[in-house]
Amino acid sequence: MPESGQKTTPGHITETAPAVTAIRRTGLLVTLVLGGLTALPPLSMDMYLPALPQVTGALHAPAATVQLTLTACLAGMALGQLVVGPMSDKWGRRRPLLVGMVVYVLATAVCALAPTAELLIGFRLLQGLAGAAGIVIARAVVRDLYDGVEMARFFSTLMLISGAAPIVAPLIGGQILRITDWRGVFHVLTVIGVLLTVVVWRFLDETLPAGRRQQGGVGAALRTMRGLVADRVFAGYVLAGGFGFATLFAYISASPFVVQEIYGASPQTFSLLFGVNSVGLVVLGQINGKILVGRVSLDKVLAWGLGTIFLASLALLLLTSGVFGEAGLFPIAACLFVLMSAMGVALPNTNALALMRTPHAAGSASALLGTTSFLVGAVASPLVGIAGEHTAVPMAVVQIVCAVLALACFLGLCRPWRTTRTQV
């Protein structure tokens, strides 16, 4: 596999990309820019979470309908990645990213003005479609710049930055609700989008040299996608990451109602609990990048992460279904903390392991990673509220099913015990 910053021509001659090498030297600056892009999705989702119960009253819509505002944004981010990823392989990373960020800002501003739940759902879909550019291109840029252990460590570093967003976002959202209504959340997101767009325009240079870009039109892009999907091991990592993300998103979409409506916590208490869980995700992500990567195979660490998610989901199901009697907020919060912390190991390693196999089409591979995760998450979101707002059992059921499927895809398709390909 060629080193990052190089390209392999058909004649197997390795050619250095000076621009990429220069970008890598900027280190911290690139990390902050890419961290901001990967933080945008949790900001868009989590800052809005404390306001969900308020939106149901303000727009006179049932909880299941309001939860579709989350689903629409998630689905938009999924579908948008499928388009933007191949575009970035063909035209470079910078132009599609800037266009997507501008549209994201406009869509977010309009969300603040939506008079009905239906219009809010529509504009959240557009917000997600545009915001997808930041998600997919950030991963592709990492693949342009790094490889192997270095790439896995960089993903864990990004987890530190993007993981801080879920900590800060609900806290900001809760404080915004003290001085204004839910529309103020979208005003703040608009300002964040404008600032991030300016930073990207000013500081992030192109990382995909013209000589490494994909040729051809839609047909070539589809053939590339088909080839990636046909790779059994790549597909296994993509599906394992997708179902793992769905477990996380079931928590994200259900927890405002579980914590506030069922257990009677205030929006500020919910924000605090959500922030504590996000701290666990960040800490495990840093342990993964600073200690485990390079000493333990990524497959083994991923197996541990997925296994922990399964056990936490099983404990939640037993607690919420009353097997041990009526459970209070503390044991439920403890299980959710373990589950979310394990994501700090599972998510960066599925990304790294999948992208290690696709140096020739990082944008398309990143799109498949993101699209799968977001689509599965979008399906999981409405299921957690299928039995109403007064039971947490549906959340636990969705989580345990997704955790089992993640483990099954990883073990059945990747078969890590049969090869040492991912020993890094």
Side-chain angles (χ1 to χ4, degrees):
M1 183 176 293
E3 293 183 358
S4 181
Q6 298 176 331
K7 70 174 183 177
T8 302
T9 64
H12 302 287
I13 299 173
T14 301
E15 180 181 321
T16 301
V20 171
T21 303
I23 291 171
R24 289 186 63 179
R25 292 197 189 102
T26 63
L28 178 61
L29 180 59
V30 172
T31 301
L32 292 175
V33 174
L34 297 181
L37 292 173
T38 56
L40 193 60
L43 283 175
S44 300
M45 295 287 183
D46 301 340
M47 193 182 296
Y48 174 63
L49 291 179
L52 281 178
Q54 187 183 105
V55 176
T56 61
L59 298 183
H60 308 289
T65 299
V66 172
Q67 282 177 326
L68 287 176
T69 62
L70 290 175
T71 303
C73 186
L74 195 65
M77 289 180 179
L79 297 175
Q81 290 182 73
L82 206 58
V83 175
V84 176
M87 286 174 57
S88 74
D89 282 338
K90 179 176 176 61
W91 293 312
R93 315 301 186 198
R94 183 175 164 82
R95 283 184 293 172
L97 176 57
L98 286 172
V99 171
M101 291 302 301
V102 170
V103 176
Y104 171 87
V105 168
L106 296 176
T108 305
V110 176
C111 283
L113 307 175
T116 66
E118 291 73 20
L119 284 175
L120 181 60
I121 291 170
F123 286 118
R124 286 283 277 175
L125 176 64
L126 179 59
Q127 182 192 42
L129 287 168
I135 309 167
V136 67
I137 292 177
R139 276 195 303 262
V141 168
V142 173
R143 187 63 187 91
D144 292 340
L145 300 178
Y146 300 99
D147 194 13
V149 171
E150 207 172 12
M151 180 170 60
R153 286 178 174 155
F154 195 90
F155 273 124
S156 293
T157 301
L158 286 185
M159 186 66 69
L160 174 62
I161 300 173
S162 61
I167 299 172
V168 176
L171 295 174
I172 295 174
Q175 296 308 310
I176 290 173
L177 295 179
R178 285 180 174 270
I179 59 177
T180 184
D181 61 6
W182 62 272
R183 297 181 189 276
V185 174
F186 288 106
H187 291 309
V188 173
L189 285 172
T190 301
V191 173
I192 292 172
V194 170
L195 293 175
L196 187 56
T197 302
V198 172
V199 169
V200 169
W201 173 75
R202 178 67 179 83
F203 296 109
L204 186 63
D205 295 325
E206 182 60 62
T207 61
L208 186 66
R212 291 175 53 196
R213 296 176 189 177
Q214 297 287 321
Q215 303 300 316
V218 176
L222 291 176
R223 285 192 296 273
T224 299
M225 289 279 194
R226 186 168 61 246
L228 293 173
V229 172
D231 182 343
R232 172 179 54 80
V233 178
F234 174 80
Y237 290 129
V238 168
L239 291 173
F243 285 116
F245 181 81
T247 306
L248 174 63
F249 198 74
Y251 157 70
I252 291 174
S253 58
S255 59
F257 298 98
V258 170
V259 174
Q260 295 180 75
E261 301 296 330
I262 298 177
Y263 293 99
S266 67
Q268 288 71 39
T269 300
F270 162 73
S271 299
L272 178 62
L273 290 174
F274 198 95
V276 169
N277 290 343
S278 299
V279 168
L281 183 148
V282 170
V283 170
L284 262 292
Q286 294 314 291
I287 291 174
N288 177 67
K290 305 298 184 184
I291 299 176
L292 299 179
V293 171
R295 294 179 174 86
V296 184
S297 76
L298 297 186
D299 278 320
K300 288 181 180 178
V301 178
L302 178 56
W304 180 89
L306 294 177
T308 303
I309 291 169
F310 166 74
L311 292 176
S313 300
L314 178 61
L316 273 171
L317 181 60
L318 295 176
L319 288 170
T320 57
S321 59
V323 171
F324 302 114
E326 185 175 351
L329 178 58
F330 179 77
I332 298 295
C335 290
L336 291 173
F337 173 79
V338 173
L339 185 150
M340 195 163 180
S341 297
M343 294 293 171
V345 170
L347 297 184
N349 287 335
T350 52
N351 286 339
L353 285 163
L355 289 173
M356 280 180 191
R357 301 183 64 84
T358 58
H360 58 290
S364 296
S366 177
L368 287 173
L369 277 166
T371 297
T372 302
S373 295
F374 280 65
L375 282 180
V376 177
V379 172
S381 175
L383 295 179
V384 299
I386 200 168
E389 305 170 30
H390 306 293
T391 175
V393 172
M395 177 188 73
V397 169
V398 171
Q399 287 175 324
I400 191 69
V401 169
C402 291
V404 169
L405 290 173
L407 271 172
C409 291
F410 172 60
L411 297 175
L413 295 176
C414 301
R415 303 173 190 173
W417 60 88
R418 293 192 176 185
T419 177
T420 59
R421 67 186 179 282
T422 59
Q423 303 293 318
V424 294

